[in-house]
Amino acid sequence: MADSRFRGVIPPVVTPLTADRQFDEKSFENNVNRMIEAGVDGLFFLGSTGEVAFSTPSRRREIIEAAVRVVNGRVPVLAGVVDMQTEQMIEHGLQAKELGVDAIVATAPFYALSSVKEDEASFRALHEAVDLPLFAYDLPVCVHKKLGVDMLMRLANDGVLAGVKDSSGDDVNFRYLVRANKAAGSPLSVLTGHEVVVDGAYMSGADGSVPGLGNVDARSYVEQWQAAQAGDWDKVREIQDRLAGLMRIAMVAKATAGFGVGVGGFKTALMLLGVIETNQMPRPVEALEGADVEAVRQILVESGLL
């Protein structure tokens, strides 16, 4: 059976920066405490939302040290060890274990594109080297490959994987993964990162969600999970409809693209809510300004958060 520690709402935490792009630990602590107080079941640091791709080794250490200190055992801490190839991920994983995290999260290797056989070997090597629960991070938009159900279930049945964080946006494949996991006795904790259709994932049998939007409104995702556990599907859908409207903060910016729109929208909302000091982004990504900030503000007002 899947590890019961890794169920429910486990938001991927943003990494606040100061105006000069240093790690803003005070804002970080504010955001972490706010989500724990809202009732989240865990926190995922150094995911895509947490700017893992922009973080130097020293910045990764800084973030994990702060995460373990601030969380202080209140919820499980998952840490991304995402990197281009296996040896780098092992090094990140060993550091994360040393610093006290509860689980690590890894994509398949990228840049030097690999076969399914090599991807599987990478997960097996990481599991063998780092004695922590390992989650596979399915992120084809960045890794340029989809993690197949057959491979994931082989790794699950062999005790290599503890779970899957699915940010593929492929809801058909997600359903097949949930079905295969159930048929195998549920060795995996299967989590969706698709914020706008979490209701559908729960109806499919997902073990929880990893919503970037949870930084902004963790309480609604917690209420949605609780409603799903109670079988109140009308409430689950109603909450999801409201969250779908709020998710426009990650789509509304016009002056930038990609990461700057999505995570930039989350950071801008948190700044406007007074949770973090600035909406600064890592280089070369530009922070939202002017009309884009006002567009995010308007969505917060319409959603009742401001």
Side-chain angles (χ1 to χ4, degrees), residues 63-121:
I63 291 167
I64 294 174
E65 285 179 338
V68 171
R69 178 186 65 79
V70 174
V71 172
N72 193 27
R74 289 178 289 173
V75 297
V77 169
L78 291 78
V81 299
V82 176
D83 215 317
M84 291 186 289
Q85 300 298 332
T86 309
E87 302 307 326
Q88 292 101 311
M89 289 191 278
I90 288 174
E91 287 188 6
H92 297 315
L94 290 172
Q95 175 178 269
K97 183 178 189 302
E98 170 201 334
L99 296 176
V101 308
D102 298 293
I104 56 174
V105 185
T107 63
F110 53 93
Y111 189 81
L113 296 181
S114 48
S115 67
V116 172
K117 181 179 179 182
E118 291 162 333
D119 294 342
E120 184 170 335

Side-chain angles (χ1 to χ4, degrees), residues 121-145:
S122 181
F123 284 116
R124 290 185 185 277
L126 187 52
H127 168 72
E128 184 175 344
V130 184
D131 185 21
L132 282 175
L134 171 61
F135 277 69
Y137 191 175
D138 194 5
L139 188 65
V141 68
C142 294
V143 179
H144 308 297
K145 64 183 72 175

